[in-house]
Amino acid sequence: MTALDDALAALARARSPADLFGPDTAEAARRYRRLARLVHPDTTGGRTADAFARLTALWRGYNRAGPVTITTRRHTFRVGDRRADGDLADLFDATVEGPGEAVVLKLPRDPADGDLLEREAVALRQLPKDGDGRFLPYVPRLVESFRHRDADTGQERRANAIAALDGFSSLAEVHDAYPDGLDPRDAAWMWRRLLVALGFAHRAGVLHGAVLPEHVLIHPELHGLVLVDWCYSVPGCHAPVDSSGRVPALVTRYADWYPPEVPARERASAATDIFMAARCMTHLMGDKAPREMRLFAKGCMAAQQRRRPDDAWRLLAEFDELLERLYGPRRFRPFTMPGR
């Protein structure tokens, strides 16, 4: 058999991209290029057009599914299916070989956005170092941040591997599940925990910079909350990112959710995060928010930074007083997501 015959036979046998390209990303790219040279219609007088189309489809499928393995100096990641399309990165389910820990691997679609993933890595290292360890469950855990070279294009991209979270829903999903507005008593515990997350981060010297519905995850049964996607964060001046104090970018589809200092490229503060948190919660409740909560949120969303609260812990104490006036002593209120 000729090399072309072998290539056609391999294409005929393949039932999935992994069957043809194997588990090693570098070898997969070399195999693709070798097969493409053999079955390209220009080299066979057009006889292999169908085979080349199948090869192209399998290669696209391989890249959509993500690389099968990525090996760094510290870990080997077995990468599975694409979990979601983030604001600037593709998110893949992955497992750390050895301990078998489940992680989410973030790879930016544009290599130029690697600085934003580096910013996230800096923040997620700073939070456990400089923050109160009791509140670490409110933020994701960084497993590793590394540079990954694409075997096909040669481009390098910053990648972050973050411990996976199970059983969580975003505030965007909560809003979709309760489109007529969430009961303020349910929104209350979410708002409280969001203020705890911000208070923890701010005391550790980190602003989140993008407190948006997709970035706030809640656990319905356990009443847990995790603030994710720290790519837009503003770490303290000692962190090796920049010391401008500005939020580095906006999530375009939420452009009108930001306080004025962000689009104006002015220095952000704790009041920036507090503004966006209040915006999330009023959006969640809609018309069901009582007047007292609306007034509380209005004070958090003043146009001028200096007129907004800038201490999440103090604000939490004021919020607790408001809730006690409205609903009496605090008690656990079960919450469910429809269909779960």
Side-chain angles (χ1 to χ4, degrees):
M1 293 179 67
T2 66
L4 176 59
D5 291 331
D6 287 339
L8 294 173
L11 278 165
R13 289 193 303 268
R15 295 292 178 265
S16 70
D19 291 342
L20 186 63
F21 299 116
D24 184 85
T25 55
E27 177 57 32
R30 288 192 290 269
R31 185 166 177 75
Y32 165 72
R33 289 192 291 267
R34 184 167 62 250
L35 290 170
R37 286 194 297 270
L38 288 168
V39 303
H40 197 286
D42 290 348
T43 64
T44 63
R47 292 183 296 112
T48 55
D50 289 344
F52 186 75
R54 175 162 171 70
L55 172 64
T56 301
L58 287 167
W59 183 240
R60 286 175 179 165
Y62 180 86
N63 285 315
R64 279 199 301 272
V68 177
T69 62
I70 293 178
T71 300
T72 70
R73 287 182 296 178
R74 294 177 55 197
H75 301 102
T76 294
F77 298 98
R78 298 285 299 179
V79 186
D81 294 334
R82 186 195 305 266
R83 170 186 284 236
D85 297 329
D87 303 323
L88 54 89
D90 294 324
L91 279 62
F92 297 93
D93 288 319
T95 304
V96 182
E97 285 195 355
E101 180 181 11
V103 300
V104 174
L105 191 65
K106 297 178 67 169
L107 289 167
R109 288 183 288 276
D110 183 348
D113 287 331
D115 63 319
L116 296 177
L117 269 79
E118 181 182 3
R119 188 177 285 263
E120 176 176 61
V122 169
L124 293 182
R125 291 190 190 105
Q126 185 175 338
L127 288 167
K129 177 184 175 184
D130 296 339
D132 187 329
R134 292 176 297 169
F135 303 109
L136 285 175
Y138 285 85
V139 298
R141 181 171 59 84
L142 181 69
V143 174
E144 186 178 1
S145 183
F146 57 91
R147 298 197 67 82
H148 170 63
R149 182 179 295 277
D150 188 298
D152 189 33
T153 66
Q155 286 184 315
E156 276 198 351
R157 292 184 289 175
R158 168 67 60 182
N160 288 343
I162 295 170
L165 297 166
D166 293 322
F168 284 81
S169 300
S170 72
L171 291 191
E173 292 170 320
V174 175
H175 182 268
D176 289 345
Y178 294 89
D180 295 329
L182 187 64
D183 189 308
R185 292 170 296 176
D186 294 318
W189 68 259
M190 300 177 194
W191 201 342
R192 288 193 75 260
R193 282 155 179 73
L194 184 51
L195 289 174
V196 171
L198 294 178
F200 161 64
H202 297 165
R203 290 281 173 89
V206 183
L207 307 179
H208 185 272
V211 184
L212 298 167
E214 276 88 352
H215 300 162
V216 183
L217 307 185
I218 59 101
H219 195 292
E221 292 81 14
L222 301 178
H223 281 202
L225 181 142
V226 180
L227 187 54
V228 302
D229 201 342
W230 293 75
C231 292
Y232 308 92
S233 60
V234 184
C237 295
H238 62 279
V241 177
D242 72 62
S243 58
S244 70
R246 295 191 295 266
V247 173
L250 284 79
V251 179
T252 306
R253 68 182 179 281
Y254 282 106
D256 60 348
W257 284 56
Y258 288 84
E261 64 268 18
V262 178
R265 303 290 293 151
E266 296 171 353
R267 193 175 187 87
S269 70
T272 304
D273 284 346
I274 287 171
F275 178 109
M276 300 186 79
R279 180 73 174 85
C280 284
M281 301 315 301
T282 53
H283 175 69
L284 205 58
M285 291 182 287
D287 293 337
K288 291 188 176 180
R291 176 178 176 275
E292 293 84 352
M293 276 197 187
R294 292 198 300 271
L295 290 174
F296 182 85
K298 184 178 180 181
C300 296
M301 295 191 291
Q304 295 179 314
Q305 281 191 79
R306 61 182 178 80
R307 299 187 62 185
R308 286 179 231 142
D310 63 359
D311 186 325
W313 289 116
R314 184 180 302 171
L315 188 64
L316 175 61
E318 295 175 8
F319 188 52
D320 281 345
E321 292 175 2
L322 169 63
L323 293 176
E324 187 165 4
R325 291 197 302 271
L326 285 172
Y327 304 117
R330 195 161 72 242
R331 58 185 180 272
F332 186 84
R333 176 180 164 85
F335 176 71
T336 58
M337 284 286 287
R340 289 190 52 177

